[in-house]
Amino acid sequence: MTATQPAPVPALVEQLTGGLDAPICLTWELTYACNLACVHCLSSSGRRDPKELSTAEALSVVDQLADLQVFYVNIGGGEPMIRKDFFDIVDHAIDRHVGVKFSTNGYYIDKAAAERMARSDLLDIQISLDGFDAETNDAVRGPGSWEAARRAMDNLAEANFGEFKISIVATRHNFDQLDDYKKMADDYGAQLRVTRLRPSGRGVDSYHDLRLTHDQQYGIFRWIMDHPDVLTGDSFFHLNALGKDTGETLPGLNLCGAGRIVCLIDPIGDVYACPFVIHDEFKAGNVRDEGGFAQVWRHSDLFAEMREPGSAGACASCNAYDACGGGCVAAKFFTGIDLNGPDPDCALGHADDAVAAAMGTAPKPSQDHSRPVRLTVKP
């Protein structure tokens, strides 16, 4: 039986929308270097940037986050474990009482690394996988990536790490595998995290080949409602329009937290409103600037503007606006839709014409460290 999820407390949502003194959590991409070349990589990673933060600068960022009392940081990349000082940064964060969660493709989690992680106070490890089988996964993430991810999971399980996470980006090609993923997670004693595909980074080019169909959007809404123990990171809040008549609401805050409760620090210290809008229009400053991260978070003109009450814009006449909030800013921006327009994946189809009209005109990410990649999934 499906349980209707309680809506967030309005006063809390209003407070979070107006921004906080410090982010609840933030994403920190440690490096653009990566041994894979996933076709939907949100940061267009591949090659290391020569301006990457040094070890000393990275440790200073940790200190700044600790001074702000940031609860935890999501470390990613690229592949964060490529950095030789990865454990130095993680250990320093833990010592300063900044919780650490990190995302990895699993290649570097051998038995020794898994045992070291099991002895640490890491909050979480998230293994990325985009297909229940090698054929589906490797078409998106590259040959051998499925085997490497499964090996990492086996090593973590053998080391008794605990409840790590298996993270998938939902696409039209792995949508039918959701039940298989859930069973895999249960078998490992892990937790499943399902997130939305966004047209960010290299996802700008692969989005139209990977995005869910309207039928699949409805299907994943129902599937998430039926599996309340599956995490989504609030990435599907645009689908709440489907529950407007029944009062069903997906678990979570169901709001865009960009520049309000979350943000991104990239490998060269640039601070963006969220991990999915790595573009100069959404860059608020750099941790190397005077005053560091705190100055950017608290006094950036961009963040101040984003914390102002929003407008329903083109969605004003839609009776589902209060449920979905107009959707994701990043998804609109990188498909060429006006930011006051509907989400490109609007579950009611209100953006279909706008998406078709904007194809080929959407802006590209400002940072691109890609190596050549191509989509190999069947259309």
Side-chain angles (χ1 to χ4, degrees):
M1 183 177 70
T2 300
T4 300
Q5 302 294 328
V9 179
L12 174 61
V13 172
E14 184 178 351
Q15 180 185 6
L16 296 178
T17 301
L20 301 176
D21 286 341
I24 293 175
C25 68
L26 59 84
T27 297
W28 184 5
E29 310 287 23
L30 286 186
T31 183
Y32 281 121
C34 193
N35 56 311
L36 299 184
C38 304
V39 299
H40 57 12
C41 177
L42 65 91
S43 57
S44 302
S45 289
R47 296 171 285 110
R48 186 187 305 273
D49 193 297
K51 301 188 296 293
E52 187 174 283
L53 296 175
S54 68
T55 299
E57 288 176 317
L59 297 180
S60 174
V61 169
V62 170
D63 290 336
Q64 294 174 48
L65 301 181
D67 291 343
L68 280 172
Q69 297 183 312
V70 172
F71 181 59
Y72 70 90
V73 59
N74 291 305
I75 288 179
E79 170 49 52
M81 292 188 71
I82 283 180
R83 281 192 63 139
K84 294 181 180 179
D85 57 4
F86 169 76
F87 281 111
D88 295 328
I89 296 170
V90 169
D91 290 344
H92 186 58
I94 293 172
D95 289 344
R96 290 300 315 271
H97 306 292
V98 177
V100 176
K101 302 182 178 186
F102 85 95
S103 299
T104 174
N105 57 42
Y107 264 85
Y108 300 98
I109 301 183
D110 57 17
K111 291 183 182 297
E115 289 170 0
R116 177 172 182 171
M117 292 170 182
R119 294 192 301 269
S120 75
D121 289 326
L122 280 166
L123 291 178
D124 188 37
I125 298 174
Q126 183 170 284
I127 309 293
S128 297
L129 199 67
D130 286 313
F132 178 71
D133 53 69
E135 180 182 9
T136 305
N137 176 82
D138 291 5
V140 172
R141 303 187 63 83
S145 57
W146 184 86
E147 182 180 354
R150 292 302 301 267
R151 185 169 57 248
M153 294 179 205
D154 291 340
N155 290 337
L156 289 171
E158 184 178 332
N160 295 315
F161 174 83
E163 192 182 55
F164 60 87
K165 290 183 176 59
I166 301 172
S167 179
I168 70 168
V169 176
T171 71
R172 67 179 58 184
H173 304 289
N174 64 19
F175 168 79
D176 291 335
Q177 299 177 339
L178 289 172
D179 288 334
D180 296 320
Y181 282 119
K182 184 65 171 65
K183 184 178 185 305
M184 176 195 291
D186 291 344
D187 289 345
Y188 274 112
Q191 191 166 25
L192 182 62
R193 185 173 188 265
V194 181
T195 60
R196 174 187 180 182
L197 171 74
R198 286 181 174 89
S200 305
R202 283 195 293 272
V204 170
D205 296 322
S206 60
Y207 171 69
H208 292 285
D209 294 309
L210 296 177
R211 64 189 295 215
L212 297 175
T213 65
H214 282 309
D215 286 345
Q216 288 174 333
Q217 298 244 33
Y218 179 79
I220 203 165
F221 175 80
R222 291 258 48 93
W223 192 88
I224 294 170
M225 292 298 299
D226 290 341
H227 296 83
D229 57 329
V230 172
L231 302 178
T232 64
D234 273 328
S235 59
F236 292 103
F237 67 90
H238 66 295
L239 296 184
N240 279 323
L242 296 172
K244 62 181 177 62
D245 295 329
T246 60
E248 292 175 301
T249 303
L250 293 172
L253 293 172
N254 289 308
L255 59 83
C256 173
R260 300 180 174 107
I261 60 175
V262 299
C263 66
L264 167 81
I265 302 175
D266 85 344
I268 62 176
D270 285 334
V271 181
Y272 294 90
C274 99
F276 304 103
V277 286
I278 301 179
H279 190 279
D280 287 345
E281 289 195 29
F282 293 91
K283 185 167 68 175
N286 189 286
V287 298
R288 288 170 166 144
D289 296 339
E290 184 177 355
F293 177 76
Q295 176 70 19
V296 177
W297 178 260
R298 291 176 173 171
H299 303 292
S300 158
D301 291 340
L302 171 68
F303 286 175
E305 180 181 347
M306 297 189 74
R307 292 163 188 165
E308 292 294 323
S311 166
C315 297
S317 62
C318 179
N319 64 1
Y321 177 77
D322 287 342
C324 77
C328 174
V329 170
K332 297 177 192 181
F333 181 75
F334 282 122
T335 48
I337 294 178
D338 187 276
L339 298 187
N340 284 322
D343 189 290
D345 288 324
C346 171
L348 304 181
H350 295 325
D352 291 355
D353 291 342
V355 171
M359 283 189 67
T361 65
K364 296 292 185 180
S366 296
Q367 296 284 341
D368 192 339
H369 296 78
S370 301
R371 297 188 301 272
V373 296
R374 65 186 181 90
L375 184 67
T376 58
V377 291
K378 296 179 181 179

mmCIF file of all heavy atoms in Angstrom, residues 299-339:
data_model
loop_
_atom_site.group_PDB
_atom_site.id
_atom_site.type_symbol
_atom_site.label_atom_id
_atom_site.label_comp_id
_atom_site.label_asym_id
_atom_site.label_seq_id
_atom_site.Cartn_x
_atom_site.Cartn_y
_atom_site.Cartn_z
ATOM 1 N N HIS A 299 27.662 36.862 1.207
ATOM 2 C CA HIS A 299 27.604 38.201 0.623
ATOM 3 C C HIS A 299 27.582 38.220 -0.910
ATOM 4 O O HIS A 299 27.622 39.301 -1.498
ATOM 5 C CB HIS A 299 28.780 39.037 1.134
ATOM 6 C CG HIS A 299 28.823 39.144 2.633
ATOM 7 N ND1 HIS A 299 27.873 39.851 3.350
ATOM 8 C CD2 HIS A 299 29.682 38.612 3.542
ATOM 9 C CE1 HIS A 299 28.156 39.762 4.641
ATOM 10 N NE2 HIS A 299 29.245 39.017 4.789
ATOM 11 N N SER A 300 27.514 37.064 -1.534
ATOM 12 C CA SER A 300 27.446 37.032 -2.994
ATOM 13 C C SER A 300 26.158 37.669 -3.507
ATOM 14 O O SER A 300 25.065 37.379 -3.009
ATOM 15 C CB SER A 300 27.520 35.578 -3.478
ATOM 16 O OG SER A 300 26.975 35.430 -4.770
ATOM 17 N N ASP A 301 26.286 38.550 -4.480
ATOM 18 C CA ASP A 301 25.098 39.157 -5.090
ATOM 19 C C ASP A 301 24.218 38.094 -5.745
ATOM 20 O O ASP A 301 22.981 38.178 -5.697
ATOM 21 C CB ASP A 301 25.514 40.198 -6.138
ATOM 22 C CG ASP A 301 26.158 41.429 -5.526
ATOM 23 O OD1 ASP A 301 25.950 41.672 -4.318
ATOM 24 O OD2 ASP A 301 26.878 42.141 -6.249
ATOM 25 N N LEU A 302 24.847 37.095 -6.362
ATOM 26 C CA LEU A 302 24.085 36.034 -7.020
ATOM 27 C C LEU A 302 23.240 35.269 -6.011
ATOM 28 O O LEU A 302 22.045 35.050 -6.225
ATOM 29 C CB LEU A 302 25.037 35.069 -7.732
ATOM 30 C CG LEU A 302 24.374 33.799 -8.288
ATOM 31 C CD1 LEU A 302 23.429 34.138 -9.439
ATOM 32 C CD2 LEU A 302 25.420 32.786 -8.738
ATOM 33 N N PHE A 303 23.849 34.863 -4.897
ATOM 34 C CA PHE A 303 23.096 34.103 -3.900
ATOM 35 C C PHE A 303 21.989 34.948 -3.282
ATOM 36 O O PHE A 303 20.889 34.448 -3.005
ATOM 37 C CB PHE A 303 24.027 33.568 -2.821
ATOM 38 C CG PHE A 303 24.877 32.394 -3.263
ATOM 39 C CD1 PHE A 303 25.844 31.866 -2.434
ATOM 40 C CD2 PHE A 303 24.706 31.825 -4.511
ATOM 41 C CE1 PHE A 303 26.620 30.785 -2.827
ATOM 42 C CE2 PHE A 303 25.467 30.755 -4.932
ATOM 43 C CZ PHE A 303 26.437 30.227 -4.085
ATOM 44 N N ALA A 304 22.256 36.222 -3.078
ATOM 45 C CA ALA A 304 21.224 37.109 -2.528
ATOM 46 C C ALA A 304 20.022 37.163 -3.466
ATOM 47 O O ALA A 304 18.860 37.135 -3.033
ATOM 48 C CB ALA A 304 21.791 38.506 -2.306
ATOM 49 N N GLU A 305 20.296 37.227 -4.760
ATOM 50 C CA GLU A 305 19.216 37.275 -5.750
ATOM 51 C C GLU A 305 18.438 35.969 -5.763
ATOM 52 O O GLU A 305 17.199 35.966 -5.842
ATOM 53 C CB GLU A 305 19.805 37.547 -7.127
ATOM 54 C CG GLU A 305 18.784 37.627 -8.242
ATOM 55 C CD GLU A 305 19.411 37.880 -9.605
ATOM 56 O OE1 GLU A 305 20.614 38.233 -9.659
ATOM 57 O OE2 GLU A 305 18.712 37.721 -10.618
ATOM 58 N N MET A 306 19.153 34.839 -5.661
ATOM 59 C CA MET A 306 18.484 33.540 -5.707
ATOM 60 C C MET A 306 17.641 33.290 -4.470
ATOM 61 O O MET A 306 16.716 32.475 -4.493
ATOM 62 C CB MET A 306 19.522 32.419 -5.877
ATOM 63 C CG MET A 306 20.286 32.490 -7.176
ATOM 64 S SD MET A 306 21.305 31.035 -7.486
ATOM 65 C CE MET A 306 20.054 29.827 -7.943
ATOM 66 N N ARG A 307 17.941 33.981 -3.376
ATOM 67 C CA ARG A 307 17.186 33.785 -2.134
ATOM 68 C C ARG A 307 15.933 34.650 -2.064
ATOM 69 O O ARG A 307 15.155 34.530 -1.117
ATOM 70 C CB ARG A 307 18.106 34.067 -0.938
ATOM 71 C CG ARG A 307 19.204 33.027 -0.795
ATOM 72 C CD ARG A 307 20.347 33.475 0.087
ATOM 73 N NE ARG A 307 21.448 32.518 0.045
ATOM 74 C CZ ARG A 307 22.688 32.760 0.473
ATOM 75 N NH1 ARG A 307 22.986 33.953 0.977
ATOM 76 N NH2 ARG A 307 23.623 31.836 0.395
ATOM 77 N N GLU A 308 15.753 35.500 -3.055
ATOM 78 C CA GLU A 308 14.535 36.293 -3.101
ATOM 79 C C GLU A 308 13.356 35.408 -3.501
ATOM 80 O O GLU A 308 13.523 34.402 -4.194
ATOM 81 C CB GLU A 308 14.683 37.440 -4.119
ATOM 82 C CG GLU A 308 15.679 38.509 -3.708
ATOM 83 C CD GLU A 308 15.230 39.264 -2.475
ATOM 84 O OE1 GLU A 308 14.009 39.508 -2.348
ATOM 85 O OE2 GLU A 308 16.084 39.595 -1.628
ATOM 86 N N PRO A 309 12.124 35.766 -3.080
ATOM 87 C CA PRO A 309 10.951 34.980 -3.478
ATOM 88 C C PRO A 309 10.852 34.873 -4.990
ATOM 89 O O PRO A 309 11.092 35.837 -5.713
ATOM 90 C CB PRO A 309 9.780 35.787 -2.897
ATOM 91 C CG PRO A 309 10.392 36.566 -1.769
ATOM 92 C CD PRO A 309 11.793 36.896 -2.202
ATOM 93 N N GLY A 310 10.546 33.686 -5.472
ATOM 94 C CA GLY A 310 10.471 33.450 -6.907
ATOM 95 C C GLY A 310 9.102 33.765 -7.479
ATOM 96 O O GLY A 310 8.128 34.004 -6.761
ATOM 97 N N SER A 311 9.046 33.768 -8.791
ATOM 98 C CA SER A 311 7.797 34.012 -9.508
ATOM 99 C C SER A 311 7.375 32.746 -10.233
ATOM 100 O O SER A 311 8.222 31.978 -10.711
ATOM 101 C CB SER A 311 7.989 35.149 -10.518
ATOM 102 O OG SER A 311 6.917 35.205 -11.429
ATOM 103 N N ALA A 312 6.096 32.520 -10.310
ATOM 104 C CA ALA A 312 5.587 31.347 -11.021
ATOM 105 C C ALA A 312 5.786 31.469 -12.522
ATOM 106 O O ALA A 312 5.788 30.464 -13.237
ATOM 107 C CB ALA A 312 4.109 31.146 -10.706
ATOM 108 N N GLY A 313 5.973 32.681 -13.013
ATOM 109 C CA GLY A 313 6.238 32.887 -14.436
ATOM 110 C C GLY A 313 5.202 32.242 -15.328
ATOM 111 O O GLY A 313 3.989 32.376 -15.117
ATOM 112 N N ALA A 314 5.694 31.488 -16.310
ATOM 113 C CA ALA A 314 4.798 30.840 -17.272
ATOM 114 C C ALA A 314 3.943 29.762 -16.631
ATOM 115 O O ALA A 314 2.963 29.316 -17.233
ATOM 116 C CB ALA A 314 5.620 30.244 -18.420
ATOM 117 N N CYS A 315 4.304 29.323 -15.415
ATOM 118 C CA CYS A 315 3.547 28.266 -14.729
ATOM 119 C C CYS A 315 2.424 28.825 -13.860
ATOM 120 O O CYS A 315 1.747 28.065 -13.165
ATOM 121 C CB CYS A 315 4.482 27.425 -13.860
ATOM 122 S SG CYS A 315 5.763 26.539 -14.774
ATOM 123 N N ALA A 316 2.230 30.150 -13.868
ATOM 124 C CA ALA A 316 1.261 30.772 -12.967
ATOM 125 C C ALA A 316 -0.152 30.231 -13.160
ATOM 126 O O ALA A 316 -0.930 30.152 -12.212
ATOM 127 C CB ALA A 316 1.277 32.286 -13.151
ATOM 128 N N SER A 317 -0.474 29.843 -14.383
ATOM 129 C CA SER A 317 -1.839 29.375 -14.661
ATOM 130 C C SER A 317 -2.016 27.884 -14.398
ATOM 131 O O SER A 317 -3.126 27.361 -14.531
ATOM 132 C CB SER A 317 -2.208 29.683 -16.111
ATOM 133 O OG SER A 317 -1.331 29.000 -17.004
ATOM 134 N N CYS A 318 -0.931 27.199 -14.016
ATOM 135 C CA CYS A 318 -1.003 25.749 -13.797
ATOM 136 C C CYS A 318 -1.355 25.467 -12.339
ATOM 137 O O CYS A 318 -0.686 25.970 -11.426
ATOM 138 C CB CYS A 318 0.329 25.089 -14.161
ATOM 139 S SG CYS A 318 0.348 23.299 -13.883
ATOM 140 N N ASN A 319 -2.367 24.648 -12.117
ATOM 141 C CA ASN A 319 -2.793 24.373 -10.746
ATOM 142 C C ASN A 319 -1.862 23.401 -10.012
ATOM 143 O O ASN A 319 -2.102 23.059 -8.867
ATOM 144 C CB ASN A 319 -4.232 23.852 -10.716
ATOM 145 C CG ASN A 319 -4.384 22.510 -11.427
ATOM 146 O OD1 ASN A 319 -3.425 21.942 -11.943
ATOM 147 N ND2 ASN A 319 -5.607 22.005 -11.452
ATOM 148 N N ALA A 320 -0.787 22.970 -10.688
ATOM 149 C CA ALA A 320 0.176 22.083 -10.041
ATOM 150 C C ALA A 320 1.418 22.829 -9.585
ATOM 151 O O ALA A 320 2.330 22.224 -9.013
ATOM 152 C CB ALA A 320 0.587 20.964 -11.001
ATOM 153 N N TYR A 321 1.465 24.157 -9.802
ATOM 154 C CA TYR A 321 2.691 24.902 -9.480
ATOM 155 C C TYR A 321 3.062 24.797 -8.005
ATOM 156 O O TYR A 321 4.231 24.633 -7.657
ATOM 157 C CB TYR A 321 2.545 26.371 -9.867
ATOM 158 C CG TYR A 321 3.758 27.194 -9.489
ATOM 159 C CD1 TYR A 321 4.917 27.135 -10.253
ATOM 160 C CD2 TYR A 321 3.758 28.008 -8.352
ATOM 161 C CE1 TYR A 321 6.041 27.856 -9.897
ATOM 162 C CE2 TYR A 321 4.880 28.733 -7.988
ATOM 163 C CZ TYR A 321 6.017 28.662 -8.769
ATOM 164 O OH TYR A 321 7.134 29.372 -8.410
ATOM 165 N N ASP A 322 2.084 24.884 -7.122
ATOM 166 C CA ASP A 322 2.387 24.808 -5.693
ATOM 167 C C ASP A 322 2.986 23.456 -5.321
ATOM 168 O O ASP A 322 3.724 23.344 -4.336
ATOM 169 C CB ASP A 322 1.124 25.054 -4.870
ATOM 170 C CG ASP A 322 0.693 26.512 -4.897
ATOM 171 O OD1 ASP A 322 1.537 27.366 -5.245
ATOM 172 O OD2 ASP A 322 -0.480 26.792 -4.596
ATOM 173 N N ALA A 323 2.693 22.430 -6.126
ATOM 174 C CA ALA A 323 3.211 21.093 -5.830
ATOM 175 C C ALA A 323 4.633 20.908 -6.345
ATOM 176 O O ALA A 323 5.475 20.312 -5.673
ATOM 177 C CB ALA A 323 2.296 20.030 -6.443
ATOM 178 N N CYS A 324 4.932 21.435 -7.544
ATOM 179 C CA CYS A 324 6.232 21.174 -8.153
ATOM 180 C C CYS A 324 7.179 22.365 -8.098
ATOM 181 O O CYS A 324 8.390 22.216 -8.354
ATOM 182 C CB CYS A 324 6.065 20.724 -9.608
ATOM 183 S SG CYS A 324 5.685 22.069 -10.754
ATOM 184 N N GLY A 325 6.667 23.564 -7.800
ATOM 185 C CA GLY A 325 7.514 24.746 -7.689
ATOM 186 C C GLY A 325 8.162 25.190 -8.980
ATOM 187 O O GLY A 325 9.099 25.980 -8.964
ATOM 188 N N GLY A 326 7.697 24.673 -10.094
ATOM 189 C CA GLY A 326 8.271 25.065 -11.376
ATOM 190 C C GLY A 326 9.479 24.252 -11.795
ATOM 191 O O GLY A 326 9.994 24.408 -12.901
ATOM 192 N N GLY A 327 9.961 23.382 -10.887
ATOM 193 C CA GLY A 327 11.028 22.470 -11.276
ATOM 194 C C GLY A 327 12.429 23.007 -11.088
ATOM 195 O O GLY A 327 12.675 23.926 -10.316
ATOM 196 N N CYS A 328 13.367 22.438 -11.823
ATOM 197 C CA CYS A 328 14.804 22.616 -11.622
ATOM 198 C C CYS A 328 15.376 23.719 -12.512
ATOM 199 O O CYS A 328 15.225 23.680 -13.739
ATOM 200 C CB CYS A 328 15.513 21.293 -11.920
ATOM 201 S SG CYS A 328 17.310 21.375 -11.895
ATOM 202 N N VAL A 329 16.039 24.693 -11.884
ATOM 203 C CA VAL A 329 16.648 25.806 -12.617
ATOM 204 C C VAL A 329 17.717 25.306 -13.579
ATOM 205 O O VAL A 329 17.802 25.749 -14.730
ATOM 206 C CB VAL A 329 17.246 26.826 -11.633
ATOM 207 C CG1 VAL A 329 18.094 27.857 -12.365
ATOM 208 C CG2 VAL A 329 16.143 27.523 -10.844
ATOM 209 N N ALA A 330 18.558 24.378 -13.124
ATOM 210 C CA ALA A 330 19.637 23.873 -13.966
ATOM 211 C C ALA A 330 19.087 23.183 -15.208
ATOM 212 O O ALA A 330 19.611 23.354 -16.317
ATOM 213 C CB ALA A 330 20.510 22.911 -13.171
ATOM 214 N N ALA A 331 18.036 22.386 -15.022
ATOM 215 C CA ALA A 331 17.454 21.680 -16.154
ATOM 216 C C ALA A 331 16.877 22.656 -17.177
ATOM 217 O O ALA A 331 16.992 22.447 -18.391
ATOM 218 C CB ALA A 331 16.376 20.713 -15.673
ATOM 219 N N LYS A 332 16.283 23.732 -16.701
ATOM 220 C CA LYS A 332 15.767 24.748 -17.617
ATOM 221 C C LYS A 332 16.910 25.424 -18.365
ATOM 222 O O LYS A 332 16.878 25.566 -19.590
ATOM 223 C CB LYS A 332 14.967 25.797 -16.844
ATOM 224 C CG LYS A 332 13.734 25.276 -16.136
ATOM 225 C CD LYS A 332 13.069 26.405 -15.340
ATOM 226 C CE LYS A 332 12.013 25.891 -14.401
ATOM 227 N NZ LYS A 332 11.351 26.975 -13.654
ATOM 228 N N PHE A 333 17.918 25.850 -17.611
ATOM 229 C CA PHE A 333 19.011 26.624 -18.193
ATOM 230 C C PHE A 333 19.709 25.855 -19.302
ATOM 231 O O PHE A 333 19.940 26.386 -20.399
ATOM 232 C CB PHE A 333 20.010 26.992 -17.094
ATOM 233 C CG PHE A 333 21.169 27.819 -17.571
ATOM 234 C CD1 PHE A 333 21.005 29.167 -17.853
ATOM 235 C CD2 PHE A 333 22.418 27.242 -17.738
ATOM 236 C CE1 PHE A 333 22.074 29.930 -18.295
ATOM 237 C CE2 PHE A 333 23.488 28.003 -18.177
ATOM 238 C CZ PHE A 333 23.318 29.345 -18.457
ATOM 239 N N PHE A 334 20.048 24.600 -19.038
ATOM 240 C CA PHE A 334 20.838 23.844 -20.000
ATOM 241 C C PHE A 334 20.009 23.186 -21.098
ATOM 242 O O PHE A 334 20.557 22.469 -21.931
ATOM 243 C CB PHE A 334 21.704 22.804 -19.288
ATOM 244 C CG PHE A 334 22.932 23.390 -18.639
ATOM 245 C CD1 PHE A 334 23.153 23.247 -17.284
ATOM 246 C CD2 PHE A 334 23.862 24.087 -19.392
ATOM 247 C CE1 PHE A 334 24.286 23.787 -16.692
ATOM 248 C CE2 PHE A 334 24.991 24.631 -18.804
ATOM 249 C CZ PHE A 334 25.211 24.474 -17.448
ATOM 250 N N THR A 335 18.705 23.401 -21.096
ATOM 251 C CA THR A 335 17.902 23.025 -22.266
ATOM 252 C C THR A 335 17.449 24.263 -23.031
ATOM 253 O O THR A 335 16.705 24.157 -24.004
ATOM 254 C CB THR A 335 16.671 22.191 -21.854
ATOM 255 O OG1 THR A 335 15.991 22.819 -20.771
ATOM 256 C CG2 THR A 335 17.075 20.786 -21.468
ATOM 257 N N GLY A 336 17.870 25.449 -22.573
ATOM 258 C CA GLY A 336 17.552 26.684 -23.287
ATOM 259 C C GLY A 336 16.187 27.241 -22.986
ATOM 260 O O GLY A 336 15.702 28.138 -23.683
ATOM 261 N N ILE A 337 15.540 26.748 -21.910
ATOM 262 C CA ILE A 337 14.218 27.240 -21.524
ATOM 263 C C ILE A 337 14.380 28.428 -20.580
ATOM 264 O O ILE A 337 15.282 28.455 -19.738
ATOM 265 C CB ILE A 337 13.396 26.121 -20.850
ATOM 266 C CG1 ILE A 337 13.084 25.018 -21.866
ATOM 267 C CG2 ILE A 337 12.101 26.645 -20.257
ATOM 268 C CD1 ILE A 337 12.319 23.851 -21.271
ATOM 269 N N ASP A 338 13.505 29.408 -20.704
ATOM 270 C CA ASP A 338 13.519 30.550 -19.799
ATOM 271 C C ASP A 338 13.398 30.060 -18.352
ATOM 272 O O ASP A 338 12.637 29.128 -18.061
ATOM 273 C CB ASP A 338 12.353 31.486 -20.126
ATOM 274 C CG ASP A 338 12.424 32.780 -19.325
ATOM 275 O OD1 ASP A 338 11.946 32.773 -18.177
ATOM 276 O OD2 ASP A 338 12.949 33.774 -19.849
ATOM 277 N N LEU A 339 14.136 30.694 -17.443
ATOM 278 C CA LEU A 339 14.139 30.246 -16.047
ATOM 279 C C LEU A 339 12.783 30.401 -15.376
ATOM 280 O O LEU A 339 12.530 29.789 -14.335
ATOM 281 C CB LEU A 339 15.212 30.986 -15.250
ATOM 282 C CG LEU A 339 16.660 30.765 -15.708
ATOM 283 C CD1 LEU A 339 17.620 31.412 -14.724
ATOM 284 C CD2 LEU A 339 16.976 29.288 -15.872
#
